[in-house]
Amino acid sequence: VTAIVQFGAMIVAAYYLERTARQEADAVAAIEDDREVKEADDKAEHLKKCYEEVTQWGLIPCGAKLLLQSALGFIVTSCYMVQLFSSYCFVPHSLTDSIEENLDGKVSNLFLPLGWVSLGLFCLSIMLIYLFQSWGTQKAEKLANGAVVSASPDEASIDDNSSAEGPERWN
């Protein structure tokens, strides 16, 4: 019954929001955009485009590629371990079982040794992805600030001037 009442309330609220938005469309359109918010949105969009550019597969150095490939390998291995060998990873436990009785009061007793390995691989994968994203964000910020960012370790310098033969994307 509660779900039906909440669903009905949501429908009524959506109806009145839509009706008000339609009736007051001219008033809403007349409101000027906040300059600071617009500048922040534009900066965030530019940073996003820079991130997409510096993290293109063909442009990233071998170390960054190794981070991503390792993260992929670890997460896939973790998922297969949990799916295919769940009886070797976890103690049988259901939602209606008591942690006190079934697991001796410790949630960590849910994991068998292979389960701990799977959890470790999962966490390692997350850390590697975080490292890659941090690297990409750092490169994107340098690019967004107008510096030419070298993608390969052979060109490990960052110049403040863009080359004439390079694409205009560095601006």
Side-chain angles (χ1 to χ4, degrees):
V1 174
T2 304
I4 294 171
V5 171
Q6 287 180 339
F7 180 74
M10 181 184 69
I11 296 296
V12 170
Y15 167 76
Y16 282 108
L17 281 171
E18 177 65 28
R19 188 180 81 175
T20 303
R22 218 178 312 118
Q23 289 174 348
E24 302 296 327
D26 294 335
V28 171
I31 298 172
E32 290 185 36
D33 290 339
D34 188 346
R35 193 185 85 230
E36 292 174 1
V37 172
K38 175 86 169 113
E39 288 174 4
D41 286 346
D42 291 345
K43 184 178 179 181
E45 181 65 27
H46 179 64
L47 187 60
K48 179 183 173 191
K49 287 179 182 177
C50 290
Y51 182 85
E52 289 173 359
E53 187 165 327
V54 298
T55 57
Q56 289 182 21
W57 188 256
L59 298 177
I60 60 176
C62 290
K65 287 180 182 179
L66 184 62
L67 278 177
L68 282 178
Q69 290 170 333
S70 298
L72 175 66
F74 293 150
I75 195 71
V76 167
T77 303
S78 175
C79 289
Y80 274 114
M81 288 170 67
V82 168
Q83 290 296 316
L84 299 177
F85 306 109
S86 62
S87 61
Y88 298 108
C89 292
F90 307 105
V91 171
H93 186 77
S94 68
L95 288 175
T96 57
D97 291 343
S98 168
I99 293 175
E100 288 294 325
E101 294 172 13
N102 196 27
L103 302 174
D104 297 326
K106 293 174 64 178
V107 175
S108 61
N109 288 342
L110 179 66
F111 295 94
L112 295 174
L114 194 59
W116 285 109
V117 171
S118 174
L119 183 63
L121 290 173
F122 177 80
C123 292
L124 185 58
S125 176
I126 290 173
M127 286 187 276
L128 293 177
I129 289 174
Y130 176 77
L131 287 173
F132 176 80
Q133 288 177 333
S134 297
W135 171 85
T137 301
Q138 179 186 16
K139 292 288 187 182
E141 287 172 350
K142 288 179 181 177
L143 179 61
N145 291 331
V148 176
V149 178
S150 64
S152 68
D154 302 339
E155 308 164 23
S157 65
I158 296 179
D159 302 323
D160 286 331
N161 53 5
S162 66
S163 65
E165 57 194 56
E168 289 297 317
R169 64 183 183 208
W170 304 118
N171 294 330

